[in-house]
């Protein structure tokens, strides 16, 4: 039975946080679809399949995280910002900053793949086909994304010299990499189709399969999030062990076994705090202040993200310096461009 100090909806932990998250994530996802469509129109123009010029939307570079990692190391070693894909590097830096300060808020509030994953999960829940992965398998699978991250970090962050980075940066492949990505989806190989169908199908059975077990981007953000000052805290004395928090947690965190949620899996969605029926049992804590409005975290995530965009836009670090005509030339030989 619930104790008397059950809460009513308030602004410290509004009940509509889940709806707000869906709207914010959905907004970003729609924007990405729109940007993808605009890029497709640009591609048609650049490959002489259309006479209508449509400007290339820089935001598609968000889907080039490996190039952004190369760009980050090049920035650190040479001081030069990636001006071929500046938006990609800006979005990557924003995600890293959010990870360090605001948990995996990028995953919880911005990433459209995370949104798609949440939608699949909701459908699977309704269909009652979600499978509870045994702990031994969960832990084994969890290591996969860290292994992938380790591989990328070794190959790029550790092994690539400045000469290698410059070679990659100026290669035709780097200039055409967004078009290569588009072609990957427009005319996928049988193997790619098989892998994508497998990932979609398994996500209906295993909650957030891609995000939880395979995404190296999320793994990196999770490691950074270990240093985040924002933490969900649980008051063991008032907890009534109703497990509502665990049932709602999209990251499958066993909240009732912890006093402080420090894990790199927490995406900062704040749904656990919102559903807890006991006042101040679960709180969003900061050093020196145990109880904060749960709206603070998403507000900070969105502000940080928009701030990076605004600074990049104002200082000329958003649009690529490569003229559309030069891209047109590169795209005309795209089939012959090998991976460097
Ligand atoms: S884990 Fe990867 S795909 Fe999933 S929400 Fe985070 S960044 Fe996006
Ligand atoms: S612990 Fe809470 S804030 Fe973190 S992912 Fe789970 S429900 Fe969201
Ligand atoms: S912390 Fe979780 S288990 Fe405890 S009262 Fe809140 S929702 Fe229930």
């Amino acid at each position: 039975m619930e104790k008397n100090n059950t809460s009513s909806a308030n602004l410290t932990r509004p009940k509509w946080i889940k709806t707000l998250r869906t709207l914010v994530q959905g907004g970003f996802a729609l924007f990405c679809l729109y940007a993808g469509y605009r890029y497709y129109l640009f591609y048609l123009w650049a490959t002489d399949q259309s006479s209508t010029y449509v400007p290339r939307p820089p935001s598609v570079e968000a889907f080039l995280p490996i190039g952004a990692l190369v760009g980050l190391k090049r920035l650190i070693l040479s001081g030069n910002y990636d001006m071929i894909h500046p938006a990609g590097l800006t979005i990557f830096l924003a995600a890293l900053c959010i990870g360090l300060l605001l948990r995996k808020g990028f995953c919880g509030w911005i990433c459209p793949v995370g949104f798609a994953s949440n939608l699949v999960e909701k459908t699977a829940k309704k269909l009652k086909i979600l499978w509870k992965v045994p702990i031994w398998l969960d832990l084994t699978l969890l290591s996969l994304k860290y292994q992938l991250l380790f591989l990328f970090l070794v190959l790029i962050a550790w092994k690539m010299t400045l000469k290698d980075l410059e070679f990659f940066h100026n290669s035709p492949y780097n200039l055409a990499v967004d078009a290569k990505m588009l072609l990957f989806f427009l005319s996928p190989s049988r193997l790619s189709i098989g892998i994508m169908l497998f990932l979609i199908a398994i996500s209906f059975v295993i909650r957030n399969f891609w995000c939880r077990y395979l995404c190296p981007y999320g793994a990196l953000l999770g490691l950074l999030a270990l240093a985040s000052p924002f933490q969900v805290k649980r008051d063991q004395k008032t907890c009534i062990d109703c497990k509502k928090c665990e049932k709602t947690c999209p990251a499958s965190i066993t909240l009732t076994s912890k006093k402080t949620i420090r894990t790199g899996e927490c995406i900062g969605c704040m749904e656990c705090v919102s559903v807890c029926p006991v006042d101040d049992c679960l709180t969003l804590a900061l050093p020196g202040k145990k109880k904060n409005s749960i709206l603070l975290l998403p507000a900070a995530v969105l502000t940080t993200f928009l701030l990076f965009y605004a600074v990049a836009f104002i200082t000329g670090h958003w649009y690529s310096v490569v003229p559309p005509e030069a891209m047109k030339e590169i795209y005309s030989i795209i089939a012959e461009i090998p991976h460097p």
Side-chain angles (χ1 to χ4, degrees), residues 72-80 160-162 165:
L72 176 59
K73 184 170 179 192
R74 183 172 165 270
L75 175 65
I76 292 168
L77 292 186
S78 70
N80 295 325
M160 279 181 93
T161 62
L162 184 55
L165 296 165

Side-chain angles (χ1 to χ4, degrees), residues 2 13 232-236 238-248 255-256 258 271-283:
E2 291 175 5
R13 48 195 201 99
V232 172
K233 285 195 185 285
R234 187 177 66 96
D235 184 345
Q236 286 171 302
T238 55
C239 176
I240 56 172
D241 205 31
C242 67
K243 301 235 187 304
K244 283 187 178 176
C245 50
E246 290 185 4
K247 276 183 207 138
T248 198
L255 285 104
T256 52
K258 299 173 175 68
E271 289 177 17
C272 54
V273 186
S274 157
V275 297
C276 179
V278 183
D279 272 341
D280 300 342
C281 179
L282 277 182
T283 52

Side-chain angles (χ1 to χ4, degrees), residues 92-304:
F92 188 53
L93 289 173
L96 296 184
C97 180
I98 290 170
L100 202 56
L101 299 174
L102 306 162
R103 308 218 64 84
K104 280 168 74 178
F106 181 82
C107 297
W109 291 89
I110 294 174
C111 180
V113 182
F115 176 60
S117 192
N118 290 161
L119 287 186
V120 170
E121 181 200 346
K122 275 178 201 160
T123 313
K125 258 185 185 171
K126 278 193 187 140
L127 296 172
K128 297 193 174 137
I129 52 175
L130 273 182
W131 178 54
K132 188 162 170 30
V133 181
I135 187 81
W136 64 268
L137 183 58
D138 187 48
L139 292 176
T140 311
L141 292 174
L142 267 175
S143 70
L144 291 177
K145 64 182 175 190
Y146 294 105
Q147 290 178 40
L148 284 171
L149 174 66
F150 182 72
L151 186 72
F152 286 123
L153 290 180
V154 168
L155 291 178
I156 298 170
W158 186 41
K159 284 203 167 172
M160 279 181 93
T161 62
L162 184 55
K163 200 173 152 206
D164 299 330
L165 296 165
E166 291 296 351
F167 178 77
F168 179 86
H169 179 72
N170 297 311
S171 66
Y173 179 86
N174 189 38
L175 283 168
V177 67
D178 35 13
K180 289 255 181 203
M181 182 181 58
L182 179 69
L183 289 175
F184 172 84
F185 287 106
L186 288 183
S187 33
S189 65
R190 279 190 186 179
L191 179 65
S192 311
I193 293 175
I195 292 173
M196 281 191 280
L197 286 178
F198 169 76
L199 288 174
I200 293 170
I202 200 160
S203 300
F204 277 97
V205 186
I206 298 181
R207 196 179 202 188
N208 292 325
F209 186 80
W210 169 261
C211 293
R212 186 164 176 80
Y213 300 124
L214 292 179
C215 179
Y217 202 125
L220 177 60
L221 299 182
L223 290 179
L224 292 174
L226 296 174
S228 169
F230 281 88
Q231 285 167 345
V232 172
K233 285 195 185 285
R234 187 177 66 96
D235 184 345
Q236 286 171 302
K237 291 189 207 110
T238 55
C239 176
I240 56 172
D241 205 31
C242 67
K243 301 235 187 304
K244 283 187 178 176
C245 50
E246 290 185 4
K247 276 183 207 138
T248 198
C249 177
S252 307
I253 296 168
T254 50
L255 285 104
T256 52
S257 64
K258 299 173 175 68
K259 269 174 81 176
T260 303
I261 314 305
R262 291 200 178 85
T263 165
E265 295 304 314
C266 173
I267 59 171
C269 68
M270 295 295 111
E271 289 177 17
C272 54
V273 186
S274 157
V275 297
C276 179
V278 183
D279 272 341
D280 300 342
C281 179
L282 277 182
T283 52
L284 173 64
L286 273 168
K289 195 167 180 220
K290 194 178 163 244
K291 189 180 165 192
N292 298 277
S293 166
I294 56 174
L295 292 175
L296 185 62
L297 196 133
V301 168
L302 297 178
T303 305
T304 308

